[in-house]
Amino acid sequence: MNKIIAVCMLTLFTSISVIAQKVNGDVKNGEKLFKDNCTACHALDRKLTGPALKGIVSSLSEEGVDVEWIRKWIMNNEALRKSGDKRANKTYEEYDKVAMDVFEGRLSEQNIDDILAYVENPPEPKEEAAPVVVQKNNSNDINYILVSFACLGVILIFTLLKINQLVKLKTSSSELSELEATRIRTFSQFYIKYKGALYCLITLFLALSLYGVWAWLMGIGVDKGYEPEQPIYFSHKIHAGENKINCQLCHSGAKYGKVSEIPSLSVCMNCHRNISEYTGKYIEPGKSKEFYTAEIKKIYEHVGWDEENQKYTGNQKPVKWERIHNMPDFVYFNHSQHVVAGEKTIIADYNKKNPNHQIDVVCKACHGAIDTMNVVRMANDFTMGWCVECHRTTEVDMNNGYNAAYFNKLHEKLKKEYGEDKSKITVDAIGGLECGKCHY
Ligand code: HEC
Ligand code: HEC
Ligand code: HEC
Ligand code: HEC
Ligand code: HEC
Ligand code: HEC
């Protein structure tokens, strides 16, 4: 018996070392490349548009397929199929002839080995510490105002009534009944005795209302912490966190222009045609697999997908997502300027300022650790001061394609102004504090 185990262990070890020899890659870089290029269609441990890729090298080698074949497939699956490769054509048929992207020219041989090293042995995800978000609740401030105004009102009405009685007393004192006289006497005694306290109270309420008005004015448009309920319980933690789906797969607008856009349901269906039930390991406290599955079915209901017959019925009901981030109309904010041109320096600057919370995706510098949030929450206050603060401190990447061409001339001028030290050029130097750049 012991011998058998020993033999098994031995073969296991040798097969692992064989694999390790064959794929020699940088796991960390592989993870990034996998996220950027493959997660649109592949997950590690479940079938999406394409097969699950965890341990793909060893499982294919069990079928007698070597790494070289996998490299060829990833580089250019079309060419491999056209060359008449049997296996390539069989997989293609099995997956309803959905063509995988061709990566020739986009990935190098080494890149592919990095990816394979990653999917072969993905490290266990470690919990990323979510930054502490101070929830600011504006309705509290408004409550201060309402309560103090109400109290002031009551005190005022009470005093006015009493003064009215006193006036009456003066004009018609002869007709004063015994009862009224006692009442007035009690009030005057009460008033004289507690005058000090009354003034204190009024001052306190006045101060409170003033504070309330001030806090309310300062807080206009500040919605940090805002997290409304959504029509479908869509969890970024499950999508971007657990399943490592790239932000820009869904928010594809961020690269190209002003808005990031909320993905349409057809984007959801790319994956959810196949994922109709929740089978993930992660379950938020208070939720269940059944709950998640029911939420997935809501997509079908909205998009008009008949699951049984696997076809669209044509009955569509748009999903009304609650908008969370929303700048006033007079503000001009452009995602691509930050996500493409600013990407490198924003990440570098953020990581320098936050040694305990390092980011790899530019979005997180402004939106926080969205991939740890089940419900999206505003992670910053998104005020003018916030934009300006970052423009003052973040350097401009003068070497990226966008800026190199555009600012070439300006660069010469800036060099004269700031000296040769390029590292001093922050966004304010290229006009990032000019009113007209952010305001229409
Ligand atoms: C546009 C969708 C898409 C993208 C992006 C994509 N794949 Fe695929 N992949 C597929 C599909 C679909 C298949 C199944 C075969 C077919 O239909 O062509 C597949 C098959 C594979 C296979 C073969 C598995 C087998 O058992 O034969 C490997 C390996 C693979 N993909 C790796 C990758 C890697 C690595 C990336 C990223 C660099 C990637 N794929 C990106 C859709 C995609
Ligand atoms: C699978 C698709 C998908 C992926 C991947 C994804 N998102 Fe989203 N995102 C959505 C949907 C759907 C909404 C609208 C519902 C909601 O607010 O949760 C949304 C909302 C948001 C919002 C709030 C929009 C508003 O109303 O102001 C932000 C910010 C955001 N996503 C950022 C990110 C970032 C950053 C990542 C990557 C870490 C990411 N998203 C990954 C689908 C996705
Ligand atoms: C790239 C693939 C992909 C896309 C695109 C995608 N999902 Fe998912 N979704 C998944 C995966 C993977 C799971 C987890 C399934 C599991 O673990 O069994 C999931 C789970 C879910 C769940 C259950 C867990 C939760 O988040 O509450 C819901 C609901 C859901 N998706 C809604 C959506 C919606 C709405 C969209 C479009 C805005 C969308 N998904 C787009 C891959 C995707
Ligand atoms: C420099 C800060 C910054 C970065 C970086 C950034 N965003 Fe935004 N994002 C904003 C601001 C500001 C808004 C509000 C825009 C508005 O209301 O016009 C916003 C709004 C959004 C919205 C709501 C819809 C919209 O476009 O108005 C989504 C979704 C979103 N961002 C996703 C992303 C994703 C995904 C990334 C990374 C690819 C990203 N953001 C990077 C600042 C940023
Ligand atoms: C996390 C840092 C950061 C934040 C926050 C930020 N920006 Fe920027 N912004 C940058 C960087 C970096 C650039 C320079 C990009 C480049 O290389 O062109 C830039 C450039 C710009 C430009 C172009 C300036 C020019 O002269 O071409 C505008 C306009 C702008 N940002 C608007 C905004 C607005 C509006 C906000 C707030 C809603 C904001 N930004 C928040 C980092 C930031
Ligand atoms: C980097 C971008 C940026 C620049 C530069 C900028 N603003 Fe703003 N400004 C904003 C944003 C974003 C808001 C909206 C803040 C909010 O909704 O809380 C705003 C709001 C305002 C408001 C409304 C009051 C308020 O604070 O909400 C005024 C007035 C204003 N800006 C004037 C100016 C003037 C004048 C300049 C030039 C000296 C200027 N801004 C430069 C981004 C900018």
Side-chain angles (χ1 to χ4, degrees):
M1 189 66 190
N2 278 346
K3 254 188 199 162
I4 298 177
I5 293 176
V7 170
C8 286
M9 295 290 270
L10 201 71
T11 29
L12 195 71
F13 277 128
T14 40
S15 60
I16 285 176
S17 55
V18 166
I19 291 158
Q21 269 168 19
K22 281 187 181 165
V23 218
N24 228 330
D26 174 354
V27 174
K28 212 158 163 223
N29 189 38
E31 179 172 5
K32 183 172 183 307
L33 290 168
F34 179 71
K35 272 194 221 172
D36 290 348
N37 296 294
C38 320
T39 49
C41 305
H42 292 283
L44 285 175
D45 45 14
R46 74 174 61 78
K47 192 172 138 182
L48 295 183
T49 309
L53 290 186
K54 188 173 174 178
I56 188 78
V57 180
S58 42
S59 60
L60 286 193
S61 81
E62 274 162 29
E63 287 179 37
V65 179
D66 65 2
V67 199
E68 199 40 48
W69 185 91
I70 304 177
R71 286 197 192 109
K72 270 193 201 142
W73 168 274
I74 295 172
M75 200 53 102
N76 192 338
N77 74 88
E78 206 183 300
L80 190 63
R81 276 189 278 117
K82 288 213 173 112
S83 77
D85 185 277
K86 242 190 181 156
R87 203 205 127 77
N89 282 299
K90 197 172 132 256
T91 331
Y92 182 62
E93 298 282 334
E94 269 170 28
Y95 280 81
D96 300 330
K97 301 193 175 174
V98 179
M100 173 165 142
D101 289 2
V102 170
F103 289 96
E104 203 148 31
R106 286 163 66 187
L107 294 177
S108 67
E109 293 262 342
Q110 188 55 51
N111 288 158
I112 289 179
D113 279 5
D114 291 350
I115 294 174
L116 290 178
Y118 167 70
V119 297
E120 188 56 25
N121 249 323
E124 283 294 312
K126 63 173 181 316
E127 276 294 313
E128 193 179 337
V132 180
V133 173
V134 185
Q135 295 241 0
K136 183 169 167 82
N137 195 342
N138 286 326
S139 62
N140 266 346
D141 300 333
I142 293 167
N143 287 345
Y144 280 134
I145 306 180
L146 291 182
V147 169
S148 43
F149 274 157
C151 290
L152 268 179
V154 168
I155 294 174
L156 269 177
I157 289 170
F158 181 72
T159 332
L160 277 177
L161 280 177
K162 284 301 171 188
I163 290 171
N164 203 19
Q165 272 179 350
L166 282 172
V167 171
K168 252 198 212 150
L169 172 81
K170 253 202 165 158
T171 49
S172 55
S173 52
S174 52
E175 293 155 30
L176 208 66
S177 76
E178 190 52 31
L179 180 66
E180 277 165 334
T182 353
R183 271 198 194 154
I184 288 161
R185 232 175 289 126
T186 345
F187 174 67
S188 332
Q189 276 164 6
F190 174 83
Y191 180 72
I192 290 162
K193 206 164 167 188
Y194 295 107
K195 200 163 64 182
L198 209 64
Y199 284 142
C200 278
L201 261 180
I202 292 181
T203 328
L204 186 75
F205 284 130
L206 263 177
L208 261 179
S209 342
L210 276 178
Y211 167 73
V213 170
W214 176 76
W216 181 61
L217 283 177
M218 294 311 290
I220 288 177
V222 180
D223 296 317
K224 183 169 176 174
Y226 180 52
E227 46 171 318
E229 220 169 271
Q230 296 289 5
I232 297 178
Y233 192 83
F234 174 88
S235 161
H236 277 80
K237 181 170 169 62
I238 289 175
H239 289 85
E242 296 289 310
N243 289 289
K244 305 204 183 320
I245 302 169
N246 190 330
C247 312
Q248 294 191 35
L249 173 69
C250 291
H251 301 293
S252 53
K255 226 195 237 151
Y256 308 110
K258 209 165 129 20
V259 293
S260 282
E261 289 171 355
I262 305 300
S264 70
L265 288 180
S266 62
V267 175
C268 314
M269 286 303 282
N270 283 341
C271 295
H272 283 287
R273 265 178 88 139
N274 290 326
I275 306 173
S276 58
E277 278 172 21
Y278 187 79
T279 54
K281 271 193 288 201
Y282 170 80
I283 291 176
E284 185 189 352
K287 303 279 189 281
S288 62
K289 285 202 162 123
E290 293 71 34
F291 169 83
Y292 288 134
T293 299
E295 294 298 310
I296 293 173
K297 305 289 178 197
K298 281 192 195 165
I299 307 174
Y300 300 160
E301 205 184 300
H302 281 281
V303 81
W305 173 249
D306 178 354
E307 212 187 329
E308 215 161 284
N309 301 309
Q310 294 279 303
K311 61 171 195 227
Y312 288 102
T313 60
N315 286 332
Q316 294 193 6
K317 278 190 298 172
V319 179
K320 295 201 178 78
W321 300 107
E322 282 291 331
R323 185 76 190 259
I324 302 161
H325 301 74
N326 209 347
M327 288 281 145
D329 289 340
F330 56 80
V331 174
Y332 174 80
F333 175 82
N334 186 318
H335 266 97
S336 92
Q337 210 152 38
H338 295 87
V339 170
V340 181
E343 180 179 25
K344 236 168 93 186
T345 53
I346 290 179
I347 292 180
D349 185 66
Y350 184 95
N351 287 343
K352 211 163 63 198
K353 286 185 200 153
N354 300 277
N356 296 325
H357 182 250
Q358 300 286 299
I359 56 167
D360 48 353
V361 176
V362 61
C363 323
K364 294 184 187 172
C366 298
H367 293 297
I370 296 251
D371 56 350
T372 64
M373 298 178 197
N374 282 303
V375 177
V376 176
R377 188 174 344 103
M378 275 178 77
N380 275 301
D381 57 18
F382 290 78
T383 54
M384 176 164 141
W386 172 74
C387 315
V388 166
E389 174 60 26
C390 184
H391 285 185
R392 283 221 172 92
T393 54
T394 308
E395 286 160 23
V396 181
D397 179 7
M398 283 297 178
N399 294 324
N400 69 22
Y402 177 85
N403 286 333
Y406 193 69
F407 292 118
N408 216 353
K409 253 196 178 148
L410 181 69
H411 192 181
E412 291 305 314
K413 183 174 151 259
L414 288 169
K415 259 205 234 162
K416 280 195 201 110
E417 265 174 46
Y418 287 80
E420 271 303 312
D421 185 7
K422 272 196 258 177
S423 66
K424 290 259 170 60
I425 300 174
T426 44
V427 184
D428 50 347
I430 61 163
L433 301 187
E434 282 165 22
C435 319
K437 287 274 170 75
C438 305
H439 293 295
Y440 290 106

